[in-house]
Amino acid sequence: MREKTLKVVFTFASVSDAMAAEEAARREGIPGRIIPLPTQIAASCGLSWAASAADRATVESGFTQAKVAYEGVHEVSLYYVYVTAWTMCACDCSGSIRALIRTLFI
């Protein structure tokens, strides 16, 4: 049986803020990844950034330095989902939304 682990979840006001966070994380080496908004959290955007709870300070300082706008920070116990397939968007962006969809529906 899978066990839940404590994660820190950053929420965003819009998808563009979430994508900016992902780009900043890739550029700055900020730990974590984009995930669908957990059902335990209410936010404006359906995407969020999840990282290990131990990395909270690192992520917060990294997002602050990169001037990433986030709506809130929450600690939630979650199952970790691994990306099983990766495809690129037609717009040549990071492809994270499509990867997320493929992860959920494969």
Side-chain angles (χ1 to χ4, degrees):
M1 185 172 167
R2 295 183 303 168
E3 291 186 25
K4 292 184 177 184
T5 58
L6 189 61
K7 302 287 182 196
V8 62
V9 176
F10 290 76
T11 59
F12 304 98
S14 67
V15 171
S16 59
D17 288 343
M19 301 313 289
E22 183 180 45
E23 179 59 33
R26 181 176 293 123
R27 187 178 59 246
E28 305 294 329
I30 299 169
R33 68 186 210 100
I34 291 282
I35 65 166
L37 185 68
T39 56
Q40 306 95 312
I41 301 172
S44 301
C45 175
L47 296 175
S48 58
W49 186 262
S52 170
D55 291 329
R56 180 181 181 146
T58 305
V59 176
E60 278 184 300
S61 67
F63 281 172
T64 301
Q65 288 176 355
K67 295 182 174 51
V68 171
Y70 55 89
E71 197 172 57
V73 183
H74 310 270
E75 288 194 0
V76 183
S77 291
L78 299 173
Y79 294 113
Y80 194 78
V81 178
Y82 293 93
V83 175
T84 57
W86 189 266
T87 59
M88 294 302 289
C89 291
C91 65
D92 199 30
C93 69
S94 65
S96 62
I97 294 173
R98 289 196 182 204
L100 203 53
I101 292 168
R102 289 184 58 91
T103 298
L104 296 174
F105 297 105
I106 287 182

